[in-house]
Amino acid sequence: MTDTDTIAALTRRVEVLEAEADIRRLQARYMWLCDTPLPEFGVTDDGQRIDLIMDLYTDDAVWEGVGEYYDGQFGRAEGAAAVRTHFEGFWSRDRDPALVLNAHYLTSEQIHVDGDTATGQWIHMQPWLFADGTSLLRSSRLNNAFRKVGGCWKISRTRTENVFVAPLPGRWASDHPSGSVLMRP
């Protein structure tokens, strides 16, 4: 192997490692922005939240829930306008009971980079707590796709399938914040 070949091979390896790190941060940012209460400092309403989430997606993105536990629940949204509508429905002011707590915990990460495209798989767990005191624990598998656009990685597909949904005992979370101050200066 020549020095030029060695440098080229090392360059490819560094590019893959950088892509994996960028995708890891992108996926974590998406989950962060989906948490309730939203920990992002300075975001005062769900419209701003949705704008930030949409900045993470490609214009032709797909968001879909698949499998028997998602039948009729989330469906499939194709293109930025449809994905935005999905999120607007999720954080609708008319939601009753209101969602007061939702946190995403990611695990079992696998990221596969192929040039300017990539896929990633995760399992996530999330507790949900509603204003009426009902709550559940949900676990899902994610099989997402990513594409580099203008030098930045974006989500081109969010695909999720429930592993399980379990109701939690009433009022299991006795204390939770009404808002987040974590990132406040």
Side-chain angles (χ1 to χ4, degrees), residues 5 14 38 43 53 63 76 82 84 88 104 107 109-110 154 170:
D5 293 338
V14 168
L38 178 63
V43 177
I53 291 171
W63 196 107
R76 179 181 171 97
R84 175 179 287 281
E88 288 170 347
H104 295 77
T107 187
E109 175 183 275
Q110 300 178 60
K154 301 272 187 174

Side-chain angles (χ1 to χ4, degrees), residues 79-145:
V83 172
R84 175 179 287 281
T85 298
H86 162 75
F87 287 120
E88 288 170 347
F90 188 80
W91 284 294
S92 167
R93 293 188 188 276
D94 299 333
R95 188 181 186 118
D96 187 31
L99 181 63
V100 296
L101 176 81
N102 181 26
H104 295 77
Y105 303 90
L106 288 173
T107 187
S108 302
E109 175 183 275
Q110 300 178 60
I111 298 173
H112 314 280
V113 178
D114 185 9
D116 286 346
T117 62
T119 58
Q121 293 79 38
W122 291 266
I123 295 176
H124 89 289
M125 184 84 68
Q126 62 186 126
W128 298 53
L129 180 61
F130 297 94
D132 67 356
T134 60
S135 55
L136 59 91
L137 184 62
R138 179 187 304 263
S139 177
S140 303
R141 286 188 180 89
L142 304 173
N143 182 10
N144 297 346

